[in-house]
Amino acid sequence: MIAVGRKYVFDFDSTLTRVEALDVLAEMTLQGRVEREEIIKEIQHITNLGIDGDISFTESLERRIKLLGANKKHLEPLVKELRKKISKSIASNKEFFEKYSEDIYVISCGFKEFIDPIVKEYNIPSERVYANTFDFDADGNIIGFDEDNVLASHNGKIECLRQLDLDGEVQVIGDGYSDYVMREAGIAHKFFAYTENVHREKAASNADHITPNLDEFLFVNKLPRNISYPKNRIKILLLENVHPIAFDNLSEDGFSVELIDRSLSEEELIEKVKGVHVLGIRSKTQISPKVLDAANKLLVVGAFCIGTTQIDLDYCQKKGVVVFNAPYSNTRSVVELAIGQIIMLMRNIFPRSVEIHQGHWNKTANNSKEVRGKNLGIVGYGNIGKQLSVLAEAIGMRVYYYDLEDRLALGNAIKCSSLEDLLNVSDVVSLHIDDSKNNLNFIGEREFNQMRDGAILINLSRGFVVDIPAMVNALKTKKLAGAAVDVYPEEPASNGPFKTALQGIPNVILTPHIGGSTEEAQMNIADFVPNKIMDYINSGNTVDALNFPNIRLPKQNNAHRFLHIHRNLPGVMARINDEFAHYEMNISGQYLSTNKELGYVITDLDKDYNKKVIQALKKVENTIKFRVLY
């Protein structure tokens, strides 16, 4: 329902567009001049002085036009450039401008010559655009502006709005001093500081409401909008020093993101997670039932790592919380470390390095071997195992593999029918198995005895898959010639002292769970996981979710999307569709996917609908979560 008597007054520069138009014009007119950058900086400085009210607008305008050296011929390409720089949330909410055009005004200290063509596309006619106009000489050069125009004077917007004498509540949406003074002067009822493009402290501190995007403004005023819930109201908490790229990706999409550089205890997390919609963690943060019960608004958990044993996946599913991880993003990093460790161990490099550090020269070829022609046994032929297979074969190793699942060999790799067969034939055994509890002590005394004398073991998978006392014994009795261990049965929650029975044994490489910790891997993870999170929040897609039925759908135009998560029990879908029928909803598309415990249905509907259906759907028996997407 259209709000009666309300008028909306928009600024143009840095509000309807992402830029100050005269700054863009300067970049065009000063092209090729040696002092171009210096002049542009000066123009931007003068612009900011005027916007913040530190100099009069008249002075700001005079000084900028003098520096511009612009001509009428520059205006057409300027308009073309400004069309590319419409504010993101303005462009996505064109429906609001079309539906409420009679109540929308533009009052700007910019110029009608470039404002009119832009706002015309948003159904705002020239007669509701109040702005300055240029003065031209006979050659079309811009030599000044109409000084009789009220907007050419200091605080001209106040006088302009006063002369308009608009009926009803007047709301001003802008980013600077000249916008909020209209409210201060008492001729506007509310001022919304628009911070999507620039945050000016003076404007924000004097605002009735800070609106990071148009969605927030429309939400507050209960006006039609592109999305049902503004992204700036969706809170994301990233723990454990997640790569800054993740923060940037999520922030740029409009979400409110908080970074904490450490893991939180259960007690700390229970308090912190209240009101959080998305939680990003790495391997040390435990997502327990108590944490999930406290997370009253949680929609998604993003694991910025491969393993998910720290997350109660079943309870997440029960609470309707989707979980994503990064199963492929650090594969190359882990594989390269494995290759490096194999070479270092086969060459007996670390004992030699320790001796040199201790001041002892011991040049010898004893126990130093090439990897070419040696047998590599890969236990677990998943993403990491397969890529290790390819690289190892490229440097001349013969590859054997064992996996519980039926996986096809890459290159010349040979599949072993049993773990014992692989251990019998391998000079090097590299473990790449998952974090199933069934894999506890997967390699123990029996398996060490089945290995070749003088073999090497690499464990870059999980600490608990190897029986450490049995491994220590195998190393000390020379059954194993060396080992590389990156993971341990128990690992500290933070950097500091650490003890393991493997310390001090020759030709053993010990690293602190850094197999996937390269800059490239962390950047890949920080890109992959946020994309999955954003895809779910923005469109409802659950592809690659660990605990949810997988659905991928294109975004629909001119439709609303309802997401309904429920227990997978007979009759739930029938009751959902009964409600749609009762409220005469026209369904344009419906997609259901289930697993043993959960049903997830996405329904696209025509734009106009009875809002009472939302409460009805939330009350359907066995509903876990429901939200309107857009």
Side-chain angles (χ1 to χ4, degrees):
M1 184 176 177
I2 296 176
V4 177
R6 190 181 287 167
K7 301 293 185 290
Y8 309 102
V9 177
F10 281 85
D11 183 32
F12 182 77
D13 293 297
S14 295
T15 299
L16 292 178
T17 61
R18 302 193 301 269
V19 293
E20 295 289 325
L22 291 187
D23 292 350
V24 178
L25 184 58
E27 291 179 1
M28 297 169 63
T29 60
L30 298 170
Q31 197 74 36
R33 290 180 59 174
V34 176
E35 67 274 38
R36 176 174 179 265
E37 294 302 321
E38 186 179 328
I39 297 174
I40 287 173
K41 284 181 181 178
E42 179 62 18
I43 288 172
Q44 290 172 342
H45 175 63
I46 296 168
T47 298
N48 288 327
L49 288 175
I51 289 171
D52 288 338
D54 295 328
I55 62 174
S56 73
F57 176 73
T58 307
E59 180 185 348
S60 168
L61 204 53
E62 288 173 345
R63 287 170 62 180
R64 284 182 288 163
I65 286 178
K66 188 175 180 181
L67 289 168
L68 276 172
N71 187 279
K72 187 179 287 187
K73 68 182 180 182
H74 293 119
L75 295 178
E76 187 175 336
L78 172 62
V79 169
K80 188 177 180 180
E81 193 62 27
L82 290 177
R83 284 195 177 104
K84 302 175 187 175
K85 299 184 183 298
I86 301 295
S87 296
K88 185 178 177 182
S89 67
I90 299 290
S92 66
N93 284 288
K94 214 167 183 179
E95 180 191 2
F96 161 71
F97 290 94
E98 292 170 351
K99 192 170 183 178
Y100 288 80
S101 62
E102 292 184 3
D103 299 316
I104 296 172
Y105 295 77
V106 175
I107 298 181
S108 171
C109 294
F111 291 82
K112 282 181 73 70
E113 285 85 352
F114 54 74
I115 295 176
D116 275 358
I118 299 296
V119 301
K120 182 181 179 183
E121 296 174 12
Y122 286 77
N123 208 28
I124 304 173
S126 179
E127 58 265 28
R128 282 199 289 279
V129 176
Y130 296 85
N132 286 293
T133 54
F134 288 121
D135 282 342
F136 303 92
D137 65 14
D139 296 321
N141 295 311
I142 298 174
I143 56 173
F145 51 91
D146 179 7
E147 296 184 12
D148 293 330
N149 187 327
V150 67
L151 287 163
S153 61
H154 186 59
N155 285 341
K157 285 188 176 183
I158 295 176
E159 186 57 33
C160 178
L161 188 56
R162 182 177 285 119
Q163 290 177 12
L164 281 174
D165 193 24
L166 299 175
D167 293 330
E169 180 183 301
V170 176
Q171 297 188 355
V172 173
I173 306 97
D175 66 284
Y177 165 84
S178 63
D179 302 305
Y180 73 73
V181 292
M182 288 188 272
R183 197 279 316 275
E184 284 191 341
I187 53 172
H189 298 84
K190 289 182 180 177
F191 168 62
F192 289 80
Y194 194 83
T195 61
E196 180 173 346
N197 305 306
V198 60
H199 185 105
R200 302 186 194 279
E201 192 52 45
K202 280 189 178 180
S205 62
N206 285 278
D208 294 289
H209 196 92
I210 296 174
T211 178
N213 46 58
L214 189 64
D215 299 302
E216 173 70 11
F217 169 78
L218 299 175
F219 179 82
V220 169
N221 283 294
K222 298 180 180 178
L223 292 164
R225 53 197 177 273
N226 179 54
I227 55 177
S228 61
Y229 195 71
K231 290 184 183 179
N232 57 282
R233 289 177 174 249
I234 295 177
K235 296 180 180 179
I236 298 179
L237 176 63
L238 302 179
L239 304 178
E240 299 188 65
N241 207 25
V242 167
H243 197 283
I245 286 179
F247 178 89
D248 294 341
N249 287 343
L250 293 163
S251 298
E252 286 171 13
D253 202 47
F255 301 107
S256 296
V257 188
E258 181 182 356
L259 270 177
I260 296 179
D261 63 1
R262 62 184 179 88
S263 62
L264 299 181
S265 67
E266 183 179 69
E267 186 177 324
E268 290 174 310
L269 192 54
I270 284 171
E271 188 59 37
K272 191 71 179 175
V273 80
K274 293 171 183 174
V276 169
H277 299 86
V278 178
L279 180 60
I281 63 167
R282 293 175 73 182
S283 58
K284 291 185 174 67
T285 302
Q286 302 297 312
I287 309 300
S288 66
K290 287 183 180 179
V291 169
L292 291 165
D293 285 339
N296 57 327
K297 292 188 177 180
L298 193 63
L299 300 173
V300 187
V301 172
F304 287 73
C305 52
I306 296 177
T308 55
T309 52
Q310 73 278 31
I311 303 169
D312 191 323
L313 294 175
D314 291 338
Y315 204 73
C316 280
Q317 180 177 260
K318 183 180 178 181
K319 301 287 286 188
V321 175
V322 186
V323 180
F324 295 102
N325 69 337
Y328 319 113
S329 300
N330 64 2
T331 300
R332 179 71 183 199
S333 299
V334 175
V335 169
E336 286 190 4
L337 181 60
I339 291 288
Q341 289 176 334
I342 290 167
I343 294 172
M344 292 296 102
L345 291 167
M346 292 289 286
R347 291 291 301 273
N348 222 24
I349 292 295
F350 269 73
R352 301 291 84 80
S353 176
V354 170
E355 290 164 356
I356 287 287
H357 275 289
Q358 294 174 344
H360 182 62
W361 184 271
N362 182 24
K363 184 175 179 179
T364 176
N366 289 342
N367 299 318
S368 180
K369 303 177 180 69
E370 289 185 353
V371 299
R372 181 176 52 177
K374 302 303 184 296
N375 295 344
L376 170 63
I378 300 173
V379 182
Y381 206 59
N383 298 310
I384 294 174
K386 285 180 179 177
Q387 193 166 144
L388 176 59
S389 173
V390 171
L391 291 189
E393 193 171 311
I395 60 173
M397 299 189 81
R398 291 189 292 266
V399 177
Y400 298 82
Y401 72 93
Y402 170 72
D403 198 296
L404 292 175
E405 293 187 24
D406 187 17
R407 299 184 186 273
L408 294 176
L410 296 182
N412 296 312
I414 298 169
K415 181 180 179 181
C416 294
S417 59
S418 69
L419 177 62
E420 183 176 357
D421 288 347
L422 180 137
L423 297 176
N424 288 165
V425 77
S426 299
D427 299 301
V428 179
V429 175
S430 191
L431 305 179
H432 302 285
I433 57 182
D434 63 29
D435 53 9
S436 167
K437 293 177 182 177
N438 295 329
N439 290 329
L440 176 65
N441 292 337
F442 187 83
I443 302 293
E445 183 179 358
R446 178 174 176 271
E447 287 71 31
F448 285 119
N449 289 333
Q450 291 170 347
M451 293 174 70
R452 285 184 168 185
D453 291 341
I456 285 169
L457 179 69
I458 310 287
N459 186 14
L460 296 172
S461 57
R462 298 291 181 271
F464 63 79
V465 305
V466 176
D467 182 337
I468 298 299
M471 185 180 184
V472 169
N473 183 64
L475 286 162
K476 289 183 174 180
T477 61
K478 305 301 181 183
K479 178 65 178 180
L480 288 181
V485 177
D486 185 54
V487 288
Y488 307 86
E490 294 181 5
E491 298 179 2
S494 59
N495 293 340
F498 178 64
K499 290 286 186 181
T500 173
L502 294 165
Q503 288 166 336
I505 302 174
N507 207 27
V508 173
I509 303 172
L510 301 178
T511 50
H513 204 151
I514 56 171
S517 299
T518 60
E519 291 181 5
E520 292 85 353
Q522 295 307 306
M523 288 172 67
N524 289 339
I525 292 169
D527 188 52
F528 182 86
V529 177
N531 282 338
K532 291 297 176 184
I533 291 169
M534 290 186 288
D535 210 19
Y536 177 64
I537 296 293
N538 295 338
S539 65
N541 289 345
T542 54
V543 172
D544 294 327
L546 290 167
N547 63 335
F548 253 60
N550 278 204
I551 298 181
R552 173 182 282 139
L553 295 174
K555 188 173 181 179
Q556 299 292 329
N557 294 320
N558 300 316
H560 271 283
R561 177 165 286 181
F562 288 1
L563 309 179
H564 194 280
I565 303 166
H566 55 269
R567 292 180 181 86
N568 187 16
L569 295 170
V572 178
M573 271 305 300
R575 286 190 285 276
I576 289 171
N577 285 327
D578 282 346
E579 296 297 347
F580 287 138
H582 177 75
Y583 288 97
E584 299 180 341
M585 307 291 289
N586 187 29
I587 297 175
S588 57
Q590 191 172 61
Y591 311 85
L592 169 69
S593 186
T594 64
N595 60 25
K596 185 178 179 182
E597 303 294 334
L598 203 72
Y600 178 43
V601 61
I602 299 179
T603 307
D604 289 336
L605 306 122
D606 284 353
K607 268 287 186 185
D608 296 321
Y609 65 93
N610 189 327
K611 299 297 189 292
K612 291 181 180 178
V613 73
I614 293 175
Q615 292 305 316
L617 290 170
K618 287 180 178 179
K619 291 177 181 177
V620 168
E621 192 176 358
N622 294 306
T623 295
I624 298 173
K625 268 189 171 64
F626 171 81
R627 66 185 174 112
V628 179
L629 197 58
Y630 52 79

